[in-house]
Amino acid sequence: MIKTLTVIFVLLLFVSAVSCFGAEQFPNGFHNGGIAPCEGCHSKTPKVAESGSALTLAKDSQSSDAGRGMFNGQDPGSTCLVCHTAPKGQKQPSGYFVATSNDDLAAGLPPGQMTPGGDFGWLRKSYIWATQEAGKLKDGQSQGEHHGHNVIASQFGYNPDYSNAKAPGGIFPSDKLTCTSCHDPHGNYRRLADGSYSTSNAIPVIASGSYKSSPLPDATHAIGSYRLLAGKGYSPASSGRSVIFTSDPPTAVAPDKYNRAETRQGNTRVAYGSDMSEWCQNCHEPHKHATGNAAKITSGIVKQYNSYIASGDINGSRSSSYSSLVPFEVGTKDYAELKRLAGNGGEGGDMSGPLSGENVMCLTCHRAHAGGWDSITRWNTKAELIVYDGKYPGIDSGAPTFIAQGRTSAETRKAYYDRPADSFAVFQRGLCSKCHAKD
Ligand code: HEC
Ligand code: HEC
Ligand code: HEC
Ligand code: HEC
Ligand code: HEC
Ligand code: HEC
């Protein structure tokens, strides 16, 4: 018994030692848009086949787990989270952390990372409440598994979504979903000077292609796809190769500082250019709402977006009307223009709203990873009001239970990335009204 405990203890020590790996071992970046040092993820370097561009296992290693090289984490997703989880006690948003430590997620406390994709910690936040309906008490609920993509990472306690067997409107098996279902761990997908994507090593990746400060590719240098996202032909090993991507990575540019609170005027603007919806459709069917490169924002909707500040306040103007709670695609692959737009409110970038002909996309309403609300939406679409009596609704704020929905007001505020409640109306409705006047 003591022996087993010691073994577990030593294992834990090993795991926490590995968690400092990222910052200390790789001060100049880790992936840098392409393939990172093998030992950052594999505890034993796999035997690679001689030919072929994408990494494939040598024939004699293909059937054995050892041949796959073992991972620094318990499974592929955990291997990513060893570096991408904030250390215990780190509640402020910082760098490339996309998950809050489980130790910091006690009841009532919100996850703290505020990247555009969102903090996977929201998957651990389940809420129940009692609500009055037609004079009868009814239970309301908002289960953690509906707050994000349920990535499998058992070492960190992330389990499959047992309520969706497959991607809704697709075939991707939920019990296989993990980071490498969407991101290519080897960073093979690269953007070339002509804007096309390739996985061939003939033109090497020199840097991340995600940022305002990223270099541009040229005839002999490529840069990584946006966020190392996989493209055409990717058949995630995680899916058991049952899914093959048919769309290339989206066109987008993130500001260099992208994980931050969005206090007054403080939008973090990722300049989404095109193809995000098409990319999500590698696993999902088109949505019932207009979405994608062809879902143009009409002039009437442009006018509504740009004048809308909050419920009852439509005195805004285009130059400051952008909201990261309702982003859109500008409908371009012009990276110079996207780099101009990307930035942080008050500190650069361009916070103007859409022009006619720009388009709605999946991330207009959803986050890519996780967030505070059902169906990973950016605002609560299940409550009539998102601000009640000038305060973020919570069980501690005096809001009715069917509006507080089991959250503390601190959790609600964090789900809106720390915007002050008074940047909304005293009684603020949902944000479909940023585009549709009738709501
Ligand atoms: C960022 C983490 C990461 C790095 C760095 C990395 N790998 Fe991997 N590798 C993985 C994961 C995760 C898998 C499992 C397959 C998957 O989930 O896509 C994998 C699988 C493999 C495979 C099996 C092929 C397959 O698709 O199953 C080979 C071969 C391989 N890696 C070789 C390497 C080599 C060689 C390097 C260094 C040059 C390297 N890897 C660097 C994460 C990484
Ligand atoms: C050894 C630590 C480490 C591991 C393991 C690791 N990462 Fe990272 N990751 C980093 C660091 C450091 C950065 C920021 C610097 C960079 O991109 O090189 C980063 C950045 C990223 C980015 C943004 C890159 C860009 O160019 O926009 C993505 C996406 C990402 N990681 C995904 C993953 C996935 C998926 C895995 C697992 C397959 C993984 N990481 C494993 C350390 C790590
Ligand atoms: C369903 C697909 C999907 C899965 C699963 C996924 N990601 Fe992402 N990830 C994305 C997309 C899309 C973005 C770009 C989000 C944006 O810019 O709005 C992104 C962005 C990121 C970033 C940049 C910071 C941010 O949040 O914008 C990092 C780092 C990252 N992912 C790491 C991970 C890790 C680690 C995992 C597993 C624990 C993971 N991702 C799982 C699709 C996914
Ligand atoms: C205009 C906003 C909007 C856009 C654009 C949008 N969605 Fe949704 N989506 C929602 C809302 C609101 C819900 C939850 C309410 C519902 O089920 O209708 C939802 C629900 C979903 C669900 C859960 C459905 C289920 O059966 O559980 C999936 C999956 C989904 N969306 C994927 C997507 C994808 C993929 C895209 C882009 C191709 C997209 N959405 C575009 C607003 C949007
Ligand atoms: C690699 C496949 C894959 C890609 C790419 C993908 N998804 Fe999913 N998605 C899934 C799977 C599997 C599920 C069901 C399991 C779950 O909900 O965690 C899911 C569930 C969802 C849900 C429902 C969450 C819930 O439980 O209510 C939404 C919304 C969603 N995805 C939106 C998106 C959006 C937006 C994108 C593009 C940024 C996207 N997905 C890209 C595989 C994918
Ligand atoms: C970024 C702007 C934008 C947002 C936000 C938005 N929509 Fe839309 N919506 C559009 C566009 C563009 C169309 C298609 C063009 C049209 O029909 O005018 C559309 C069409 C519709 C339609 C069908 C046409 C109609 O007017 O009857 C409905 C219904 C609708 N949206 C509901 C919603 C709901 C519900 C939400 C919030 C969950 C929402 N929309 C959020 C832009 C938006």
Side-chain angles (χ1 to χ4, degrees):
M1 177 66 185
I2 288 171
K3 227 179 178 176
T4 339
L5 280 179
T6 320
V7 169
I8 291 173
F9 186 56
V10 169
L11 275 175
L12 284 175
L13 270 182
F14 176 68
V15 166
S16 53
V18 169
S19 66
C20 310
F21 220 50
E24 284 170 17
Q25 292 283 105
F26 307 103
N28 302 317
F30 178 57
H31 312 274
N32 293 317
I35 184 150
C38 317
E39 71 274 19
C41 295
H42 295 281
S43 52
K44 178 171 150 279
T45 305
K47 263 172 73 187
V48 183
E50 290 294 323
S51 62
S53 47
L55 282 170
T56 34
L57 278 183
K59 270 240 156 55
D60 58 340
S61 298
Q62 273 173 9
S63 55
S64 73
D65 270 353
R68 262 175 110 210
M70 305 300 286
F71 298 114
N72 291 338
Q74 245 170 50
D75 48 42
S78 302
T79 301
C80 311
L81 286 175
V82 164
C83 291
H84 283 280
T85 303
K88 179 180 176 181
Q90 165 85 47
K91 295 182 188 169
Q92 295 306 315
S94 172
Y96 49 87
F97 296 135
V98 291
T100 293
S101 160
N102 291 337
D103 296 316
D104 295 323
L105 291 174
L109 298 181
Q113 302 306 311
M114 292 180 274
T115 62
D119 189 319
F120 286 102
W122 289 108
L123 290 167
R124 321 197 76 91
K125 292 270 146 191
S126 289
Y127 305 102
I128 49 164
W129 62 93
T131 151
Q132 289 276 359
E133 225 172 75
K136 281 199 192 124
L137 260 187
K138 248 186 86 187
D139 286 340
Q141 57 170 319
S142 174
Q143 294 297 331
E145 64 206 29
H146 291 304
H147 298 162
H149 277 112
N150 291 263
V151 285
I152 295 158
S154 45
Q155 186 179 329
F156 294 84
Y158 290 107
N159 299 313
D161 181 348
Y162 295 108
S163 64
N164 282 324
K166 292 188 173 137
I171 58 164
F172 199 99
S174 300
D175 64 351
K176 300 283 190 324
L177 187 67
T178 192
C179 315
T180 56
S181 309
C182 295
H183 299 278
D184 177 355
H186 301 124
N188 285 306
Y189 288 83
R190 66 204 67 199
R191 182 154 59 82
L192 307 181
D194 66 357
S196 67
Y197 290 89
S198 162
T199 54
S200 159
N201 288 327
I203 303 186
V205 174
I206 50 157
S208 166
S210 303
Y211 303 108
K212 197 176 168 91
S213 66
S214 292
L216 291 173
D218 61 27
T220 50
H221 304 102
I223 55 177
S225 63
Y226 182 63
R227 296 310 190 190
L228 308 170
L229 292 170
K232 264 183 203 154
Y234 187 64
S235 182
S238 66
S239 74
R241 317 265 185 219
S242 65
V243 170
I244 299 174
F245 281 24
T246 52
S247 289
D248 268 331
T251 302
V253 172
D256 292 0
K257 190 174 177 195
Y258 55 86
N259 187 2
R260 56 190 280 283
E262 297 183 291
T263 44
R264 203 175 304 278
Q265 303 298 320
N267 286 294
T268 300
R269 179 168 189 179
V270 172
Y272 298 103
S274 69
D275 296 284
M276 185 61 81
S277 302
E278 290 68 17
W279 182 83
C280 300
Q281 286 167 31
N282 279 316
C283 293
H284 294 285
E285 69 185 352
H287 205 263
K288 55 185 187 290
H289 190 278
T291 183
N293 293 340
K296 302 295 184 203
I297 305 180
T298 51
S299 57
I301 293 180
V302 164
K303 189 158 170 255
Q304 172 68 12
Y305 189 108
N306 290 334
S307 51
Y308 184 92
I309 294 177
S311 296
D313 181 352
I314 48 161
N315 299 309
S317 58
R318 178 175 175 248
S319 64
S320 58
S321 66
Y322 178 82
S323 169
S324 66
L325 290 175
V326 194
F328 50 87
E329 279 180 340
V330 296
T332 186
K333 295 190 182 192
D334 175 353
Y335 280 88
E337 172 63 1
L338 295 172
K339 286 178 171 204
R340 190 184 70 73
L341 293 170
N344 300 322
E347 304 164 22
D350 182 332
M351 297 299 144
S352 41
L355 293 168
S356 221
E358 302 190 348
N359 64 275
V360 183
M361 50 135 188
C362 310
L363 297 186
T364 296
C365 306
H366 297 285
R367 289 197 186 274
H369 288 164
W373 315 111
D374 284 354
S375 300
I376 342 179
T377 49
R378 290 182 179 254
W379 68 91
N380 190 356
T381 60
K382 299 275 174 73
E384 201 185 325
L385 296 172
I386 65 170
V387 171
Y388 181 84
D389 199 13
K391 297 191 277 283
Y392 277 125
I395 48 181
D396 52 343
S397 78
T401 42
F402 63 92
I403 291 178
Q405 301 193 335
R407 280 91 174 163
T408 58
S409 50
E411 288 173 313
T412 306
R413 182 187 175 98
K414 197 63 83 177
Y416 294 109
Y417 282 33
D418 275 344
R419 279 176 177 69
D422 68 7
S423 61
F424 292 109
V426 175
F427 291 95
Q428 171 69 41
R429 306 172 72 85
L431 296 176
C432 303
S433 47
K434 182 86 173 145
C435 290
H436 297 290
K438 60 181 186 312
D439 298 300

